[in-house]
Amino acid sequence: MIAVIDRGKDLMGALYYNYHKVEKENAQVLSTQKIIEAPDGSYSVQQLSRSFELYLLANRKTEKPVLHISLNPDPKDKVSDTDFEKMAQEYMKQMGYGNQPFVVFKHTDIERTHIHIVSVCVDADGRKISDKFEKRRSMDVCRALEKKYDLKVATEQKENPQSQVFKPINYKENDIKSQISSVVRHLPKYYHFQTFGAYNALLSLFNITAEEVKGKYNGIPKQGLVYFALNAQGEKASSPFKASLFGKSAGLIQLQSHYEKSRTKLKDSPAKESIKTRIESVMQTASNESEFKKKLVEQGINLVVRRNTQGRIYGITFIDHKFRCVFNGSELDKNLSANVFNDWWNNGSEKDLSEKVNMDTKETTSLGIEIKEPNSLPDFSGQEDTVYSGQENNLIEAVGGLLPRTQGEDFQETTFANQMKRKGKRRKPKF
């Protein structure tokens, strides 16, 4: 079990954050201590806040008196409400907050069921409760609770591509923003891609698409990205989410920097020749498109195809999960270009791996996602096409553990914790 402790000034913010999830039936008030109760047993933010007023009024000089703690068992642990209540009581007691008012919320909006505790870290006389060696003490308490309640032991592990596992998002679930965040915040850490189109091809594996937006604000040109969830047909199935909601790594500037780093990294990388060789080997044994895709998946490679409304292929993108990089077909070799595959699958031509075809500029686009009509796409002033209205079914069938996935990430919790920290920062005086 992992405990996360945050401090801030905004009591109402901490209560509203949790109670908003209660109202959406993604959380519940599990237990309370020294909290005012309504006659009917219900709670409201205003009612809960009154239980902390005297403590905050008595506060002498503690800058961040509001305490917000989350206790997070392993997703595989099955913890009863009774055990969650006992764990909260014991944790607070061992950390020195056993006599404080606090409210325990149980969150069920992500696959990792966990609890949040809202309290204050000043006592009834306004004195700060010691937080000396807090992290060490918290870890010791968590280890003891794991043993007592037969929970999986949490170990701090460095993130690496082999241990992370992503999964495609489901637009029908109510935490779309959190699902998108768990993908887009991490992909640049694990995959090399050289263009916006290649990035979008990679996103398509997770039922996500990105779109570049341009405009002016107060006469100043602005440029950025928005993200959408996709349905099974590759159509937009959500409202747009601004990239700024997901951190710098999901924004246009950071991604452009990532493109440049990827180009440098992949320029002389042995990965390129290895991927090319594996694809050509599959081409020699596959008799049609379906078989080709299936055999590529066995090699740890996903194929994303882009077609026009007449069915002509004009974009091919290969996503390799062994070396974790994305290549447009023509970037690997001319015999892997869109023209070659169009002749093979649409015109019935025999594939010739020694043939060097002349590339049309339209075939060098690297989005590689099947769309209905390229001429109907919005103009992005020279940028690659970024919107599509069709996607091949079963794109990532059988890829299994090759796709990385983060489990149980609470995007809203991370955002709220960062807000608490920002509100606590003082501005430096100007001289």
Side-chain angles (χ1 to χ4, degrees):
M1 182 174 71
I2 297 174
V4 180
I5 305 173
D6 292 301
R7 286 181 168 78
K9 298 179 179 180
D10 188 4
L11 172 66
M12 296 299 285
L15 292 173
Y16 270 119
Y17 163 73
N18 288 279
Y19 202 77
H20 180 65
K21 295 195 176 188
V22 173
E23 293 177 326
K24 288 195 169 186
E25 299 183 349
N26 291 323
Q28 66 183 88
V29 177
L30 193 60
S31 65
T32 62
Q33 176 172 291
K34 295 186 177 181
I35 298 294
I36 299 172
E37 294 185 7
D40 62 357
S42 63
Y43 296 96
S44 68
V45 171
Q46 291 71 23
Q47 172 196 344
L48 293 171
S49 67
R50 288 199 297 272
S51 303
F52 301 100
E53 284 181 353
L54 293 179
Y55 290 80
L56 296 177
L57 288 172
N59 178 27
R60 298 181 181 183
K61 53 183 178 181
T62 302
E63 184 180 352
K64 299 179 183 179
V66 179
L67 194 64
H68 190 256
I69 300 169
S70 66
L71 299 182
N72 307 271
D74 187 276
K76 295 180 181 178
D77 285 324
K78 303 301 179 184
V79 184
S80 67
D81 288 354
T82 300
D83 284 348
F84 264 133
E85 291 179 35
K86 292 179 180 178
M87 287 162 55
Q89 289 282 348
E90 293 177 39
Y91 182 87
M92 294 297 280
K93 180 179 179 180
Q94 294 298 322
M95 293 300 292
Y97 304 111
N99 294 321
Q100 295 295 97
F102 60 83
V103 54
V104 181
F105 296 90
K106 175 185 172 184
H107 288 212
T108 56
D109 53 336
I110 60 175
E111 62 181 309
R112 173 178 49 79
T113 300
H114 57 293
I115 57 175
H116 286 226
I117 307 171
V118 177
S119 186
V120 287
C121 54
V122 292
D123 62 21
D125 296 321
R127 292 173 297 194
K128 181 182 178 182
I129 297 173
S130 176
D131 59 357
K132 192 173 183 180
F133 304 115
E134 181 177 70
K135 184 175 180 180
R136 184 189 306 172
R137 289 190 292 117
S138 178
M139 291 176 65
D140 290 341
V141 175
C142 287
R143 298 296 84 77
L145 292 175
E146 287 168 348
K147 185 176 181 179
K148 182 174 182 178
Y149 293 95
D150 194 27
L151 305 177
K152 293 185 180 298
V153 178
T155 55
E156 292 188 7
Q157 298 178 346
K158 291 184 178 180
E159 291 184 353
N160 65 77
Q162 301 303 325
S163 64
Q164 292 289 82
V165 195
F166 297 90
K167 64 180 180 181
I169 72 166
N170 184 352
Y171 75 95
K172 294 181 180 179
E173 296 180 1
N174 58 8
D175 60 339
I176 295 177
K177 186 191 298 183
S178 180
Q179 291 185 71
I180 294 177
S181 173
S182 68
V183 175
V184 302
R185 290 175 62 233
H186 298 288
L187 279 185
K189 296 179 184 178
Y190 303 115
Y191 283 84
H192 296 291
F193 41 86
Q194 306 173 66
T195 65
F196 183 55
Y199 177 52
N200 243 332
L202 180 59
L203 287 177
S204 74
L205 300 187
F206 307 99
N207 301 333
I208 302 170
T209 189
E211 183 175 320
E212 187 174 350
V213 292
K214 296 180 180 180
K216 288 186 178 182
Y217 181 74
N218 290 336
I220 302 175
K222 295 290 183 180
Q223 192 173 5
L225 294 180
V226 292
Y227 291 85
F228 297 86
L230 301 175
N231 60 21
Q233 290 72 44
E235 300 164 336
K236 294 177 185 176
S238 75
S239 301
F241 295 95
K242 292 193 294 186
S244 58
L245 294 170
F246 307 124
K248 291 182 179 180
S249 61
L252 185 61
I253 294 177
Q254 285 291 103
L255 286 172
Q256 288 173 337
S257 175
H258 185 77
Y259 304 154
E260 293 301 322
K261 291 178 181 178
S262 293
R263 291 186 187 108
T264 302
K265 182 82 173 180
L266 297 175
K267 183 178 180 180
D268 300 314
S269 172
K272 185 174 181 179
E273 186 62 30
S274 173
I275 296 168
K276 174 179 174 291
T277 300
R278 284 150 61 206
I279 295 171
E280 290 178 340
S281 175
V282 171
M283 288 179 71
Q284 292 173 345
T285 60
S287 58
N288 53 50
E289 180 176 355
S290 177
E291 187 179 3
F292 181 62
K293 290 179 179 179
K294 183 177 180 180
K295 289 188 174 184
L296 280 180
V297 167
E298 293 172 357
Q299 292 288 327
I301 300 173
N302 277 122
L303 173 67
V304 181
V305 181
R306 183 160 64 174
R307 285 179 164 91
N308 63 17
T309 53
Q310 287 74 44
R312 180 178 181 274
I313 298 171
Y314 67 99
I316 290 283
T317 302
F318 297 95
I319 302 170
D320 179 75
H321 302 291
K322 179 180 179 180
F323 293 100
R324 299 187 184 275
C325 49
V326 185
F327 283 102
N328 186 40
S330 59
E331 292 172 338
L332 292 169
D333 199 284
K334 288 184 178 180
N335 65 8
L336 300 179
S337 70
N339 269 346
V340 171
F341 289 96
N342 184 69
D343 288 342
W344 177 18
W345 293 330
N346 291 343
N347 301 333
S349 302
E350 289 292 329
K351 49 189 178 298
D352 182 0
L353 299 183
S354 63
E355 181 184 7
K356 304 299 181 183
V357 298
N358 295 320
M359 292 298 297
D360 187 302
T361 54
K362 286 186 178 180
E363 270 82 14
T364 63
T365 57
S366 61
L367 180 59
I369 300 173
E370 186 175 341
I371 64 174
K372 294 298 183 182
E373 177 55 62
N375 294 329
S376 66
L377 296 174
D379 181 10
F380 286 113
S381 302
Q383 296 291 328
E384 295 172 284
D385 298 333
T386 59
V387 183
Y388 59 90
S389 56
Q391 185 182 32
E392 297 184 9
N393 294 326
N394 304 319
L395 188 61
I396 57 173
E397 75 275 20
V399 79
L402 291 170
L403 287 177
R405 165 171 50 162
T406 55
Q407 291 189 358
E409 177 177 7
D410 191 338
F411 162 75
Q412 292 177 329
E413 180 179 335
T414 303
T415 302
F416 172 69
N418 291 335
Q419 288 175 344
M420 286 189 72
K421 293 174 183 177
R422 285 197 298 268
K423 287 181 179 180
K425 291 183 180 180
R426 291 182 175 179
R427 294 183 179 179
K428 293 182 179 180
K430 295 182 180 180
F431 296 99

